[in-house]
Amino acid sequence: IPADEVPTDDVAAYGLDMSHDRVVSIGVCVGEHVEVAALDKVSDTLGAVEWLIERAGKRTPVVVDGQSPAASMVAALRAAGVQVVVTSAADMAKACGSFYDAVLEDRLTHFNQAPLNAALSGARKRPIGTAGGWGWDRKDYSINLAPLVSVTLARFGATTATPAKKPSAAFA
């Protein structure tokens, strides 16, 4: 299923990231499948915020790295009632480790998307803390890791965040 055809109801979580040069990537996770659902260079983040509000609504979590330039969109998303999870460094270490394990164990799938493939081929690890945790290293500005980070965050949200409950029907 192409990313734009993934039914919104099936998305367990969205991941939001932005590169140094303001390329926004929105990843989705459905089961053990990740996909880059949107990727665009932005001069105004309002379009990305509106895209997420329309699709995530108040129920599906949107995960953002607290150190990412995309964190500038958190306030607008929360103001619209979107369930936003902002990750810490420790969360990022968990997200990357879990993502990596799922890849090694052949549990994680993704479509052959050029931006995600390029990010995967250029990805390097950076240490987080002193206990062996790591995150994706963003020091090399020539590699856009936003697609990889966004799907990593989406998977983290899908495996850890609790979606808001659907409204129950009112009986008269």
Side-chain angles (χ1 to χ4, degrees):
I1 302 172
D4 58 354
E5 293 179 19
V6 173
T8 304
D9 289 346
D10 293 343
V11 174
Y14 292 88
L16 172 63
D17 194 46
M18 183 188 294
S19 69
H20 298 99
D21 58 350
R22 304 198 56 80
V23 174
V24 171
S25 179
I26 300 171
V28 297
C29 183
V30 178
E32 284 287 347
H33 179 81
V34 294
E35 195 69 36
V36 175
L39 183 71
D40 198 10
K41 184 168 178 88
V42 296
S43 56
D44 179 4
T45 57
L46 185 58
V49 168
E50 289 173 351
W51 191 97
L52 280 164
I53 291 168
E54 181 181 317
R55 286 161 181 82
K58 297 179 181 187
R59 184 175 177 349
T60 308
V62 175
V63 185
V64 183
D65 178 11
Q67 298 299 309
S68 168
S72 66
M73 294 181 256
V74 168
L77 289 165
R78 285 186 172 154
V82 175
Q83 180 188 359
V84 180
V85 176
V86 178
T87 61
S88 64
D91 291 331
M92 187 55 91
K94 291 175 200 171
C96 290
S98 176
F99 185 93
Y100 190 76
D101 290 344
V103 169
L104 289 179
E105 297 164 8
D106 287 326
R107 291 185 284 119
L108 190 66
T109 63
H110 71 89
F111 291 129
N112 191 22
Q113 293 177 300
L116 181 54
N117 292 344
L120 283 164
S121 69
R124 303 288 178 267
K125 298 177 186 176
R126 66 173 171 82
I128 295 177
T130 58
W134 58 271
W136 301 121
D137 189 346
R138 300 172 189 247
K139 288 180 189 169
D140 186 350
Y141 288 19
S142 69
I143 301 167
N144 181 4
L145 289 185
L148 177 57
V149 173
S150 70
V151 298
T152 301
L153 292 171
R155 186 176 182 283
F156 179 74
T159 59
T160 61
T162 305
K165 293 182 179 180
K166 288 185 179 178
S168 58
F171 295 99

